[in-house]
Every structure is written in structure tokens, then in C-alpha cells.
């Protein structure tokens, strides 16, 4: 067994802490302007294209990218600080989140020069939004079994099939999608998949809402009925999409959004309970904070690995596996402790609303971005156990 899975302790530089101060000042200003609510009643990220543009204007999107593409040439740890502050404040970051976190970096690594110039400055300005088209009605964890095909035609590709659970497809401009361009080979099921940028205004695309447990329209079913896209929409090499997507998923799995989703429930819980609590309650809250701080150190370490230019695939899977189960535990503990509070139902309607929303959203935490079971498989392989 290979136990050499390192989480190196990171000390943030003075520059990082100064940046944190700048982001906090900006967020205070946004709160005063009413862009961020003083009191949060929902967990997760709200959608505001206007707020994304404001962040873009500050240079806080595409933070690590070259200035030639609208970036700021900052570091992974500085980016970590920005995202942590935005999430801790409950800022409405949904519009740009996947474009900034993964679509942009994929284009930077695998895209052509024309693609970088065409899309990245818009993403960095908070004006161009992507969604992720991976899952399909019969393919989620076993993504290589996907059926949507992009058939080569003169000057481009014709796409036929259906993507499912596509978050924000109804609001994004583009989808970064994985399609089958040729058959898998006998010895490699992963061969023959390719990544494409699809303009969601292309004729033949139908986006249908899928309403989630909380009654919200957040993800969709997206139908492609013989949709024709030009050759220059192919990202990277035809048939090499699996390798590119694997790199993309590592960006998706380790950030503070994988353990901060219900942080506000914890903060509100502490506020509502006050200091006059039993030893048992103190212990339960204390345990949650210990886990929070540990996850933060691990997530920081992954940012440090990215900074060093190394692939953090296994470490990222560990952070998501632990982090998302932690996010689910907070509403469970909060529910138990608050229901024991006299008059909770009447007195703290905000805590109740927030908790209800967290309970309805929390099953998604261990599914989106790769399920817990799949992450455990990746970790086992990383440890040399498979
Ligand atoms: C809120 C939310 C947002 C999402 N947004 C997007 C998006 O924007 N774009 C996108 O492409 N997808 C998105 N998804 C889809 C998500 O990636 C898939 O739901 C996920 O990968 C699981 O696939 P599935 O739903 O098909 O479940 P399945 O793969 O069918 O899994 C069902 C169950 O079986 C288990 N299982 C499957 N295979 C194995 C195995 N080999 N070993 C052990 N257990 C296994 C799984 O862990 C799970 O518990 C989103 C999902 C959610 C919940």
C-alpha cells in the first residue's frame, strides 16, 4: 500500500492576507449596497451575473491566468483566499463559478490560441458563462458509457443525444461538453471521447428544467437534435477527451465549496444556541469546528500542490469525500440541537428557513462532482489498493 499521500501544511503569505482584507472590504461594500444579503436564508451559491461582473472588474476571476487573456497572473493560494472569502460571505458566485474554476483552466491547457482569445477574456470579465455537459440519462459515474455522439461532417460535427443534470444550462452561454466521436477500442473504453465548446443558442438545442428537491430550477436536461457545430469547437485532440476531463475534475473537487456549503448553518446554530448549553452540545459543536479547521488545512494543501504545478487528483478526492460528508452532517446536528431548543419554531424563523434549505440540498453534496463511492475508488487506486 502506498501511504505517501501528502497534505503539506501551508502558511499563507502576507500578500495573501492583504488580499483577504481587500476581498473582505469589497464584500462589506456589497453588503451595504444590498448585493449580498445581511442575513442568509439559503445555503449554496446564488446566481447574479451582475455580481460576477463586479468581481471581474476587480480582477478576481481568471486570477491565475496570463494577463493576455484577461487574467491577473496570481497564485493558486491567492485564488484560494478569494474563493474562501466569497463563500464564507455567502456571495452570489454561481454565474461564473464553473467557468472560472474549470472551463477556463481547461481551455487554457488544451484549447487553441483562437479559443483562448475568444472565450477567456469574457470569463475573466464575468461576462461569459459556461456549464458542464458530462452526465447523461444512463451515464453518470460510469461516464465513459455516454451515448451522445458528435459525428464528423463537412466543416464540423453533428451532435445527437441528451445531457442530464446540467447545472445552469438555462443561463449559461456555452457548454463544455463531452461527446463520443468514435467507438471505444477493445482494450480502451475511454478512447473515442472528445470535448467541445457548444454555443447554447445553436439551433436544435432544447433546454428543459429539472426541478430539484428544494423546488428550484438549478439543473436541466439538454437535448441535441442533429445540432451542427463548426470544427473550431473541438477542444484539444479528438478522442482524448477523457484525459482532459479527468484533469478538469481535479479542479472541481478540492476547493472550499466542498466543505463550506452549510457553514452558515453552523454559524447560525452557534448564534441561536448562545453560550448557555450543555457539555454534550459543546462537544458536538466543538467536533464540527475541529473538522472544519482540518478540512481547511487539507484544502489549502491541495491549493499548494496546484501552485507547485502537480496534479492533486487523489488529495482532491480525499477532501471532497470528507468535506461533503461534513457538509451533510452540519444540518443533521443542527436539526437535533435546535429541535431540543424551547420555542425554536417560534423564535428563530431565519435559522429554521436556513436549516430547511440545507436539509433539502444536502443529499446533492455527495453526488455532484463525483459520488462518494467513486471518490473512494480513486483514493483506493491512489493508495495502490486497486
Ligand atoms: C446538484 C447536482 C448538480 C449537478 N450538476 C451537473 C452538471 O452541471 N453537469 C453534469 O454533467 N452533471 C451534473 N451532475 C450529475 C452528477 O455528476 C451525477 O449525478 C453523478 O456523477 C452520479 O451519476 P448518476 O446520477 O448517474 O448516478 P449513478 O452513477 O447511477 O450512481 C448511483 C449510485 O451508485 C453508486 N455507484 C455507481 N458506480 C459505482 C461503482 N463503480 N462502485 C460503487 N458504487 C457505485 C454511486 O456512488 C451512487 O450512489 C449534478 C448532480 C447534482 C446532484
Amino acid at each position: 500500500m502506498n501511504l505517501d499521500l501528502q497534505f503539506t501544511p501551508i502558511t499563507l503569505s502576507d500578500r495573501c492576507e492583504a488580499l483577504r482584507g481587500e476581498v473582505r472590504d469589497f464584500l462589506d461594500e456589497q453588503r451595504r449596497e444590498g448585493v449580498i444579503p445581511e442575513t442568509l436564508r439559503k445555503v449554496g451559491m446564488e446566481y447574479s451575473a451582475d455580481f460576477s461582473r463586479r468581481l471581474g472588474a476587480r480582477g478576481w476571476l481568471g486570477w491565475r491566468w496570463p494577463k493576455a487573456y484577461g487574467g491577473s497572473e496570481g497564485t493558486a493560494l491567492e485564488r484560494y483566499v478569494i474563493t474562501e472569502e466569497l463563500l464564507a460571505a455567502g456571495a452570489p458566485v454561481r454565474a461564473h463559478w464553473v467557468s472560472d474554476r474549470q472551463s477556463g483552466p481547461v481551455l487554457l491547457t488544451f484549447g487553441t490560441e483562437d479559443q483562448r482569445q475568444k472565450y477567456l477574456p469574457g470569463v475573466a470579465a464575468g461576462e461569459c458563462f459556461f456549464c458542464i455537459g458530462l452526465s447523461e440519462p444512463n451515464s453518470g459515474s460510469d461516464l465513459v458509457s455516454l451515448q451522445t455522439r458528435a459525428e464528423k461532417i463537412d466543416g464540423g460535427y453533428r451532435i445527437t443525444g441528451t445531457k442530464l443534470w446540467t447545472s445552469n444550462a438555462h443561463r449559461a452561454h456555452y457548454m463544455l461538453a463531452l461527446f463520443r466521436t468514435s467507438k471505444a477500442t477493445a482494450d480502451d473504453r475511454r478512447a473515442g471521447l472528445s470535448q467541445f465548446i457548444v454555443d447554447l443558442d445553436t439551433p436544435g438545442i432544447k433546454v428543459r428544467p429539472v426541478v430539484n428537491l428544494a423546488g428550484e430550477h438549478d439543473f436541466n436536461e439538454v437535448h441535441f437534435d442533429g445540432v451542427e457545430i463548426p470544427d473550431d469547437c473541438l477542444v484539444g485532440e479528438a478522442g482524448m477527451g477523457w484525459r482532459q476531463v479527468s484533469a478538469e475534475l481535479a479542479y472541481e473537487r478540492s476547493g472550499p465549496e466542498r466543505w463550506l456549503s452549510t457553514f452558515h448553518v453552523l454559524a447560525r446554530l452557534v448564534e441561536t444556541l448562545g453560550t448557555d448549553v450543555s457539555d454534550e452540545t459543546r462537544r458536538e459543536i466543538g467536533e464540527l469546528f475541529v473538522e472544519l479547521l482540518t478540512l481547511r488545512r487539507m484544502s489549502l494543501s491541495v491549493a499548494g500542490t496546484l501552485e507547485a504545478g502537480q496534479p492533486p487528483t487523489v488529495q482532491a478526492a480525499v477532501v471532497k469525500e470528507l468535506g461533503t460528508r461534513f457538509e451533510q452532517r452540519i444540518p443533521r446536528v443542527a436539526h437535533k440541537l435546535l429541535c431540543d431548543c424551547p420555542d425554536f419554531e417560534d423564535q428563530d424563523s431565519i435559522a429554521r428557513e436556513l436549516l430547511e434549505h440545507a436539509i433539502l440540498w444536502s443529499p446533492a453534496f455527495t453526488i455532484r462532482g463525483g459520488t462518494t463511492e467513486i471518490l473512494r475508488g480513486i483514493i483506493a487506486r491512489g493508495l495502490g489498493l486497486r
Side-chain angles (χ1 to χ4, degrees), residues 8 10 76-77 298-310:
T8 314
I10 298 286
L77 290 170
M298 293 170 77
S299 190
L300 256 172
S301 161
V302 176
T305 307
L306 281 171
E307 184 78 66
Q310 287 155 16

Side-chain angles (χ1 to χ4, degrees), residues 52-347:
S52 296
R53 271 191 295 276
R54 289 173 187 231
L55 285 182
R58 293 298 300 245
W60 290 337
L61 302 184
W63 179 256
R64 298 186 64 201
W65 309 348
K67 291 190 176 153
Y69 306 124
S72 296
E73 298 184 6
T75 68
L77 290 170
E78 288 161 358
R79 182 177 184 279
Y80 173 93
V81 166
I82 297 170
T83 56
E84 183 175 68
E85 287 303 320
L86 292 171
L87 293 173
V93 293
R94 190 92 170 104
H96 67 264
W97 197 257
V98 305
S99 325
D100 175 59
R101 177 184 67 187
Q102 65 197 85
S103 317
V106 167
L107 295 183
L108 204 53
T109 311
F110 300 106
T112 61
E113 185 52 32
D114 281 353
Q115 286 170 341
R116 292 180 194 157
Q117 284 182 17
K118 180 170 174 187
Y119 301 105
L120 295 182
V123 173
E127 288 170 356
C128 167
F129 306 130
F130 278 77
C131 62
I132 306 167
L134 297 176
S135 310
E136 298 189 0
N138 296 309
S139 307
S141 303
D142 185 23
L143 197 55
V144 291
S145 66
L146 65 82
Q147 306 271 312
T148 302
R149 53 180 206 282
E151 172 201 353
K152 187 75 190 87
I153 54 170
D154 205 16
Y157 292 83
R158 184 182 294 119
I159 305 161
T160 309
T162 301
K163 292 287 171 188
L164 186 58
W165 316 122
T166 323
S167 302
N168 284 316
H170 56 306
R171 307 187 267 212
H173 303 105
Y174 300 99
M175 176 189 286
L176 189 57
L178 190 67
F179 301 131
R180 186 155 282 290
T181 42
S182 60
K183 287 193 174 138
T185 58
D187 57 346
D188 189 1
R189 288 179 72 222
R190 297 164 180 183
L193 296 170
S194 307
Q195 244 182 338
F196 292 89
I197 299 165
V198 182
D199 183 335
L200 289 166
D201 282 334
T202 313
I205 299 180
K206 275 204 196 83
V207 179
R208 295 209 186 116
V210 180
V211 174
N212 67 20
L213 203 57
E216 294 161 359
H217 176 195
D218 188 62
F219 43 36
N220 302 272
E221 190 176 56
V222 184
H223 297 280
F224 298 87
D225 186 7
V227 174
E228 295 190 2
I229 56 168
D231 275 328
D232 62 8
C233 292
L234 174 70
V235 179
E237 219 179 307
M240 297 302 285
W242 182 260
R243 185 174 63 99
Q244 296 172 204
V245 163
S246 305
E248 176 181 341
L249 289 174
Y251 295 118
E252 191 181 341
R253 287 179 173 157
S254 62
E257 71 272 30
R258 296 308 182 193
W259 43 274
L260 275 180
S261 304
T262 51
F263 169 71
H264 300 111
V265 177
L266 179 57
R268 186 84 206 184
L269 173 68
V270 171
E271 206 177 303
T272 304
L273 292 175
T275 49
D276 187 17
V277 293
S278 68
D279 286 348
E280 176 60 14
T281 298
R282 252 181 247 284
R283 189 186 58 74
E284 290 200 69
I285 302 274
E287 273 179 15
L288 290 176
F289 273 95
V290 168
E291 275 185 70
L292 178 73
L293 294 175
T294 307
L295 283 161
R296 180 170 185 265
R297 288 179 73 106
M298 293 170 77
S299 190
L300 256 172
S301 161
V302 176
T305 307
L306 281 171
E307 184 78 66
Q310 287 155 16
T313 312
V314 184
Q315 285 94 334
V318 173
V319 173
K320 184 174 186 291
E321 201 276 351
L322 292 171
T324 52
R325 286 191 300 118
F326 168 72
E327 293 179 327
Q328 282 180 339
R329 194 153 56 253
I330 292 177
R332 277 206 304 274
V333 173
H335 183 252
K336 187 176 80 137
L337 296 179
L338 288 174
C339 286
D340 288 346
C341 265
D343 304 329
F344 165 62
E345 288 283 320
D346 305 326
Q347 280 178 10

